[in-house]
Amino acid sequence: MNKSQLVFVPCPGMGHLIPTIEFAKLLINHDHRFSVTVLIINSPFDATYNAYVHSLVSSPSPSFPTRLHLTLLPSTLPTNISQHHKGTFLDAFFENHKPHFREAVSNLESGPDSPPLAGFVVDMFCSPVFDVADEFGVPAFAFFPSGAAYLGFLSQFYTLMERRGVDTTAFNFKDSGMEFAFPSFLNAIPAKVFPLLVLEKGWESFSRNHARLHKKARGIIVNTFEELESHAVLSFSSNGGIPVYPVGPILSIEGPSNPAQQGFDVIKWLDDQPPSSVLFLCFGSLGYFDQVESGFLDRTAEVGIVIGWAPQAQILAHGAIGGFVSHCGWNTILESIYFGVPVATWPLTSEQQINAFHLVRELKIGVEISLDYRTGFSNGSKTEVLGAERIEKGMRDVMAAKENEIRRKVKDLSEKSRRALAEDGSSYINLGRFIDDIMNMK
C-alpha cells in the first residue's frame, strides 16, 4: 500500500482551526494511506485561541488519530504593527511565516520513515502558503470553511463590480439599495449584506488575495453538502472551472472544552426543561456583552440562565432546544442544521450578513431578526441599536408552532446532512473524488 502525507495549514482562528482538524480526521479515517501534519500558528489577536492551541498540541486527546500530527510554528510578527491596517497586517503576517512553513515541510520530508509528500491543504486566508507548495512541487488545494454560495460570491465579486463600474468602498454604498446577481445565488444580493472584507478600503488587498484562490488552487474543499447548496455547487460544475469538493458538514460534535465553565452543568439544567421550550442565544467565540445588567438576571432567574462559554453542539443536540438566535457564522449554521434547530438571524461581522441572507432568503430555513446588522472589524462599534420589537418578533417566529414550514425544512436537511456523510452519501463520494484527484496529481 503506497503511503502519502499531506500538510494542512489553517488560519489562526477557532472557526478555521477546528473544521481543518476535523477534515483531517475525516480524510485519514476514509483512506488509511494518508497521514496529515497540521502546521499551526499563534493568533496575533486572540489569546484564548493561543491557549487552546497550546493545550491541544501539548496534550492531545487520547482519541486523537495516530496519523494526525500537530506542529506549532514559531510566531513572526510584522514590524511597525501600529502602522498597519488589520487587513495589510494579515497579509504581512502570513508572508512572514513562509520561512517557518518551508522549514517545517523540509523536516517532514527528511524524516527516515517519512512517506512522500502528496500535497497541501491551505486555508482560504493563507494565500502565501500556495507559493511554498509550488517550491516543493506538489499541488495545493484550498480549504474553504464557509459555504459554496459565499465562495461563488467571492470568486466573482471583483470581476462583477469592475464590469459595473461600482466603487464598493464609497461611504454609503452598502446603504444604496443596489442589488447584484451572482451565479451561486438564486436571488439578487443587496449591497447592505455584503461582507466588510469587500466594503472597507483597508481590506481590499487582503480580500482580493483570497478571491484569487480559484486561480492558485488545484481545487477547493468546501464545508457544505450538495443537498444544502445544490444551486451553488452546480454553478461551479456547470462552468467547467476549478474542481469544488463539498465534503461537509465538517463538525466538531464535542467542541473545545473550557474548564472555567465546568462549575455549572447547563446540560443538567436543560434536562429539567420541557421539549422544544428553550430559546438558545449564542454569538460565537467573538461575540459578547460588555456587561449584563443585574436587574435582568433577577427578572429572568426563573425562566432562563446566562452563562459564559457554552458547549454549543451539545446544547443544540438537546431535545429542550426549540430555536436558536445566532450570529450566523457558517460553522454554527451547519451545527443548527445538523441538529434540526431553526435559526433567528442576528449577524455581527465577517461574512455573517451574507450567511443570514442565504439562510432566510435563499434556503428559507431561518427567520429574520436582522440581515444587515454589523459591528466593525476595527473596534466592534455599532451606532444602530436593534429595537426590542424586532428582536421579540424574531424570537417568537423561530419558536412558533412545532410543525411550521421552516422547522420541517430544517428537520429534512438534518437527515440529509447525516446521510451525506455516510458511506455512499454525497460528501463521502466527494471526499473520495478529492483523494483520487490529489493522488493522480503526484
Side-chain angles (χ1 to χ4, degrees), residues 144-392:
F144 196 78
S146 296
Y150 180 54
L151 172 62
F153 170 87
L154 275 183
S155 64
Q156 297 284 329
F157 178 78
Y158 289 104
T159 300
L160 178 60
M161 294 302 118
E162 287 162 6
R163 188 184 303 149
R164 295 277 297 269
V166 173
D167 178 8
T168 60
T169 60
F171 174 71
N172 60 351
F173 171 73
K174 69 177 183 295
D175 301 316
S176 66
M178 298 178 71
E179 295 185 340
F180 299 87
F182 287 83
S184 61
F185 281 81
L186 287 165
N187 298 283
I189 306 175
K192 68 180 182 178
V193 303
F194 283 5
L196 286 173
L197 277 175
V198 300
L199 293 176
E200 291 188 354
K201 288 185 178 179
W203 286 97
E204 184 171 13
S205 171
F206 182 77
S207 57
R208 279 183 182 272
N209 278 343
H210 69 267
R212 296 189 188 105
L213 276 181
H214 65 291
K215 296 180 180 177
K216 287 187 173 184
R218 301 292 290 272
I220 304 179
I221 301 150
V222 188
N223 190 6
T224 191
F225 56 103
E226 290 183 9
E227 293 82 356
L228 175 64
E229 296 190 276
S230 56
H231 173 80
V233 171
L234 185 62
S235 74
F236 287 97
S237 59
S238 63
N239 64 18
I242 185 171
V244 170
Y245 308 93
V247 297
I250 302 166
L251 303 172
S252 174
I253 303 303
E254 294 179 2
S257 62
N258 188 330
Q261 293 296 328
Q262 291 178 0
F264 179 80
D265 191 343
V266 66
I267 302 302
K268 185 177 184 302
W269 182 87
L270 287 170
D271 289 341
D272 295 331
Q273 312 308 315
S276 301
S277 66
V278 176
L279 177 65
F280 178 43
L281 288 83
C282 185
F283 297 97
S285 57
L286 299 180
Y288 62 92
F289 295 105
D290 290 328
Q291 61 183 10
V292 178
E293 183 236 335
S294 60
F296 173 82
L297 297 176
D298 294 337
R299 292 194 306 273
T300 59
E302 299 300 319
V303 294
I305 54 170
V306 177
I307 62 174
W309 177 87
Q312 181 168 288
Q314 293 94 315
I315 289 173
L316 288 171
H318 199 283
I321 299 298
F324 185 17
V325 175
S326 170
H327 66 305
C328 297
W330 186 250
N331 293 321
T332 289
I333 287 175
L334 290 178
E335 286 182 358
S336 68
I337 290 170
Y338 187 82
F339 293 114
V341 180
V343 169
T345 63
W346 192 340
L348 300 177
T349 190
S350 191
E351 90 287 14
Q352 293 160 14
Q353 291 76 27
I354 207 167
N355 287 347
F357 173 84
H358 191 32
L359 200 68
V360 173
R361 301 289 167 79
E362 291 274 307
L363 302 176
K364 302 185 187 305
I365 55 171
V367 301
E368 176 182 348
I369 292 177
S370 175
L371 299 182
D372 60 340
Y373 186 87
R374 63 178 79 241
T375 57
F377 278 128
S378 55
N379 58 17
S381 62
K382 175 68 184 178
T383 54
E384 178 193 353
V385 175
L386 287 181
E389 296 81 5
R390 288 176 67 182
I391 298 171
E392 180 183 359

Side-chain angles (χ1 to χ4, degrees), residues 13-194:
M14 285 294 195
H16 296 255
L17 174 67
I18 292 174
T20 298
I21 290 176
E22 292 304 316
F23 175 62
K25 292 178 183 177
L26 196 67
L27 187 146
I28 62 179
N29 288 333
H30 186 103
D31 194 315
H32 294 282
R33 293 174 296 176
F34 284 105
S35 60
V36 173
T37 297
V38 183
L39 304 182
I40 304 174
I41 49 183
N42 279 322
S43 169
F45 308 117
D46 189 346
T48 302
Y49 168 85
N50 295 338
Y52 172 70
V53 162
H54 282 267
S55 67
L56 189 66
V57 172
S58 60
S59 304
S61 165
S63 63
F64 220 66
T66 56
R67 288 177 288 116
L68 177 57
H69 312 285
L70 306 179
T71 299
L72 183 60
L73 300 184
S75 187
T76 304
L77 295 177
T79 57
N80 301 321
I81 295 175
S82 62
Q83 297 177 21
H84 285 278
H85 178 277
K86 197 169 182 178
T88 56
F89 171 87
L90 286 173
D91 280 331
F93 177 76
F94 294 125
E95 189 70 28
N96 282 7
H97 280 77
K98 274 186 177 181
H100 302 315
F101 294 129
R102 291 190 191 102
E103 181 179 4
V105 178
S106 295
N107 291 339
L108 286 175
E109 285 199 311
S110 62
D113 300 315
S114 179
L117 180 64
F120 282 59
V121 175
V122 183
D123 189 278
M124 63 176 187
F125 281 160
C126 304
S127 57
V129 183
F130 287 89
D131 300 332
V132 179
D134 286 342
E135 294 171 15
F136 284 90
V138 294
F141 291 76
F143 182 70
F144 196 78
S146 296
Y150 180 54
L151 172 62
F153 170 87
L154 275 183
S155 64
Q156 297 284 329
F157 178 78
Y158 289 104
T159 300
L160 178 60
M161 294 302 118
E162 287 162 6
R163 188 184 303 149
R164 295 277 297 269
V166 173
D167 178 8
T168 60
T169 60
F171 174 71
N172 60 351
F173 171 73
K174 69 177 183 295
D175 301 316
S176 66
M178 298 178 71
E179 295 185 340
F180 299 87
F182 287 83
S184 61
F185 281 81
L186 287 165
N187 298 283
I189 306 175
K192 68 180 182 178
V193 303
F194 283 5

